[in-house]
Amino acid sequence: MVDAYEDPGTPDTRGGWWYLWWLVARQPGRAAAGAVLGIVWMTLLAAQPYLMQRAVDGALVPGRLGALAGWAGVMLAVGAVTAWLSILRHRTMTRLRMDAGFRTAKVVVGHVVRLGAALSDRTGAGEVVTIGVGDVKSVSDALTMVGPGVGSLVFYGVVTGLLVTVSPLLALVVLLGLPVLALVTGPLTRRLQGVESEYRERQAVLTARIADLAGGLRVLGGLGGKGLVADAFRADSRRLLDQGYRVGAVASWVQALAVGLPTLFLAVVAWLAARMTAQGELSVGQLVAVYGYVAVLVGPVTFFVEMAYDLNRGVVAARRVVGLLRLAPDPDEGTLPAPAGPAELYDPASGLRVAPGRLTALAAARPADATAVVDRLGRYGPTDATWGGVRLDAIPLAEVRHRILVADHEAYLFAGPLRDMLATGRPAGEGREVTGDGLRRAVHTAAAEDVVRALPDGLDSVVSGQGRSLSGGQRQRLRLVRALLADPEVLLAVEPTSALDAHTEATVAGRLRAARDGRTTLVTSTSPLVLDQADTVVFLADGKVVASGPHRRLLAEEPGYRALVARDTGITGTEATTP
């Protein structure tokens, strides 16, 4: 089975069927073992009616008790071997399905990581959740065809061959029965593909909406929009429910036919055999054998219909997985080396220069302008920014991500123990243990000691997704702790103190300056408490640098800056661009 640290391989994304075949091909030994065990297991099932026929015709007569006991012993031995093979087959197929499920999950998670920030622009969170929760299981269930599927086909041929020795007519009826079943159930399984695909798409949309609502309930409550959103959600839920009923209706017919048609079909075979026995064309032993063949054929024939059902669901799920895997990450054509040491970051679009080894604050008249600058400097989108005179998009993206960290004030907080959540910011390969002085320093710098103390188990306390059990200020400080633990060469922090009270904000600003002393740091903020700690403050208006210098000098010399920082609304945006 695929190991947690093993490379899952490169999936075949040409289509759903190709992806399923790739999963089989990744474990050929196990797939072959499952098929062989399935064939032998079912063949031994067919041997029991044959042995019964021999026992009835050749030993069920007076004076042949020893022969009867011998045949009974053979049947017991074959039954024991059949049971043992059934256990091995089931164990092998379970491992086959688990490998397919884990491998698909690893492929999906790995691709999501490669997409990175581009994921939210290409698909919704609900789509990813739906694939991870439902489609992965459907894909793994479809691989059941490898063992029992192949075994059932071979078994069907073996029984048909044995029936030829009893009656060619019965063999012909059995041989023609499977195509008839396929003709009856085929249209339903194709119909199931269509309704299942539509249901999955709507389910993904609704799942994304649930996540959005869970994260925005406080805002909706403040705006008085809970009722409106609840009504819209109920309407969407009803539509999904109706679609689910349509899926269930088709699936119920498929499953009903999977049980009913094989039983009806094989009842016809048994009736013909009984008629032929009554007419003297078959012996009693042959009749018993036919009954036995009919009994053991019910399972494989039923499985054919169920296999078609599972395969259709698996193909639908595999197509959704392939659709996600086909999403291409942002192009990375960087080949130039990054600066060997601290270097200046420059954004030509705004004119901003971030000096190496210093704390720079960016105060923007429009917060969106500051965010756009940080995105360009962090290479989250098209950029012509340079780092040490080298264009950022000419440097390999992995190098940029390793040395430049963008710490957004709304970055996602993952569910789980607080210690593990804080460790998610550490670069790959540097370990996930966050203990000792580094952790204490980061918590102290972000003034988050009270947050840790307030939790029942401290750093081992379980935090809900996005930290919904915490206040806005607590979440913001934990995001800062995570960024500081990553200890990047260049830290670009977006509004790291906007949700804090004045006293805590002043504390964090002073400690952040000390903690990042000698390291390149850019902070976007309009808080005087933060700006006063910066080595250089850059004032941005209409997306361009208007002025730069110490905070107190800008207050005295730059009316627009003073209007922004002091919240003096009597000065207009036009005046803010005038020196």
Side-chain angles (χ1 to χ4, degrees), residues 343-578:
E344 180 186 71
L345 276 172
Y346 172 57
D347 176 37
S350 63
L352 173 67
R353 295 182 182 274
V354 181
R358 297 175 65 82
L359 174 60
T360 303
L362 180 62
R366 291 193 301 260
D369 292 339
T371 302
V373 170
V374 171
D375 284 345
R376 291 193 293 269
L377 293 177
R379 197 177 157 186
Y380 284 96
T383 181
D384 56 357
T386 62
W387 186 19
V390 182
R391 283 180 62 103
L392 274 175
D393 54 12
I395 301 172
L397 184 60
E399 181 73 7
V400 175
R401 292 285 179 267
H402 183 73
R403 296 174 61 183
I404 300 178
L405 173 65
V406 174
D408 189 81
H409 66 299
E410 294 182 350
Y412 197 88
L413 296 176
F414 297 95
L418 178 59
R419 188 187 304 274
D420 294 343
M421 183 267 286
L422 296 176
T424 57
R426 295 175 66 81
E430 294 189 9
R432 295 301 186 187
E433 286 295 323
V434 284
T435 57
D437 293 339
L439 176 59
R440 285 192 291 270
R441 285 196 300 269
V443 171
H444 175 74
T445 301
E449 296 97 335
D450 61 318
V451 180
V452 176
R453 285 196 301 267
L455 295 173
D457 298 317
L459 289 167
D460 296 317
S461 301
V462 176
V463 179
S464 60
Q466 201 61 315
R468 295 188 181 94
S469 57
L470 306 173
S471 69
Q474 290 174 326
R475 291 196 297 269
Q476 193 168 56
R477 282 179 282 168
L478 291 180
R479 291 186 179 102
L480 183 57
V481 171
R482 184 171 62 181
L484 292 170
L485 274 174
D487 195 26
E489 179 181 328
V490 179
L491 175 62
L492 310 177
V494 180
E495 297 287 350
T497 62
S498 59
L500 307 183
D501 60 80
H503 173 73
T504 307
E505 186 176 32
T507 302
V508 172
R511 292 176 180 177
L512 179 62
R513 175 184 175 85
R516 294 289 299 175
D517 185 39
R519 314 206 71 184
T520 308
T521 307
L522 174 69
V523 178
T524 70
S525 178
T526 57
S527 168
L529 298 172
V530 176
L531 299 172
D532 195 37
Q533 294 290 336
D535 296 311
T536 303
V537 177
V538 179
F539 175 43
L540 203 69
D542 295 329
K544 302 291 183 180
V545 172
V546 174
S548 63
H551 166 65
R552 296 180 185 276
R553 195 186 79 194
L554 291 181
L555 276 179
E557 300 177 0
E558 180 57 48
Y561 178 79
R562 184 169 59 251
L564 175 66
V565 173
R567 308 299 193 266
D568 182 0
T569 56
I571 299 180
T572 66
T574 303
E575 292 171 333
T577 63
T578 304

Side-chain angles (χ1 to χ4, degrees), residues 7 26 39 44 68 82 98 106 138 171 177 183 193 196 247 286 300 366 426 445 449 519 547:
D7 180 13
R26 290 300 296 177
I39 291 171
L44 290 179
L68 181 62
T82 303
M98 291 179 67
K106 283 197 68 177
S138 297
L183 288 174
Q193 272 198 39
E196 181 89 10
V247 174
Q286 289 175 324
R366 291 193 301 260
R426 295 175 66 81
T445 301
E449 296 97 335
R519 314 206 71 184

Side-chain angles (χ1 to χ4, degrees), residues 78-353:
V78 171
V81 173
T82 303
W84 177 65
L85 289 175
S86 177
I87 294 172
L88 293 181
R89 178 201 61 82
H90 181 74
R91 182 181 299 172
T92 301
M93 292 310 303
T94 299
R95 290 176 174 173
L96 183 77
R97 289 193 298 269
M98 291 179 67
D99 183 283
F102 291 150
R103 194 176 299 275
T104 299
K106 283 197 68 177
V107 166
V108 169
V109 171
H111 190 67
V112 166
V113 171
R114 284 191 294 274
L115 286 172
L119 176 65
S120 58
D121 297 330
R122 312 292 173 81
T123 188
E127 177 75 6
V128 180
V129 171
T130 304
I131 289 174
V133 172
D135 292 330
V136 169
K137 184 179 185 304
S138 297
V139 166
S140 61
D141 287 345
L143 295 196
T144 304
M145 63 178 180
V146 175
V150 175
S152 296
L153 286 172
V154 174
F155 176 72
Y156 198 80
V158 169
V159 171
T160 303
L162 290 173
L163 281 174
V164 169
T165 64
V166 176
S167 169
L169 175 62
L170 293 178
L172 181 62
V173 173
V174 170
L175 188 62
L176 294 178
L178 198 58
V180 172
L181 288 175
L183 288 174
V184 174
T185 59
L188 279 175
T189 54
R190 287 193 296 271
R191 165 77 174 157
L192 181 64
Q193 272 198 39
V195 294
E196 181 89 10
S197 296
E198 185 179 351
Y199 175 79
R200 290 293 189 183
E201 290 172 3
R202 291 189 178 183
Q203 186 183 38
V205 172
L206 196 62
T207 303
R209 188 161 298 173
I210 291 173
D212 293 340
L213 288 176
L217 282 177
R218 293 183 179 179
V219 177
L220 288 173
L223 296 175
K226 280 187 177 181
L228 181 64
V229 174
D231 291 340
F233 184 78
R234 289 192 193 97
D236 290 339
S237 297
R238 281 194 295 271
R239 284 193 289 271
L240 182 63
L241 181 62
D242 293 340
Q243 182 68 18
Y245 282 140
R246 286 193 286 274
V247 174
V250 179
S252 64
W253 274 106
V254 173
Q255 292 173 343
L257 291 175
V259 177
L261 282 181
T263 304
L264 181 62
F265 156 62
L266 295 172
V268 172
V269 176
W271 178 80
L272 286 173
R275 291 280 297 175
M276 296 173 70
T277 303
Q279 294 170 0
E281 299 178 22
L282 298 180
S283 67
V284 175
Q286 289 175 324
L287 175 62
V288 172
V290 170
Y291 282 159
Y293 294 141
V294 168
V296 294
L297 268 178
V298 169
V301 174
T302 299
F303 181 78
F304 287 142
V305 183
E306 293 179 345
M307 182 176 67
Y309 171 73
D310 287 339
L311 274 177
N312 278 281
R313 294 193 69 199
V315 168
V316 170
R319 286 172 182 165
R320 291 169 57 80
V321 172
V322 166
L324 177 64
L325 296 179
R326 284 177 176 173
L327 299 178
D330 290 333
D332 180 17
E333 300 176 353
T335 57
L336 298 180
E344 180 186 71
L345 276 172
Y346 172 57
D347 176 37
S350 63
L352 173 67
R353 295 182 182 274

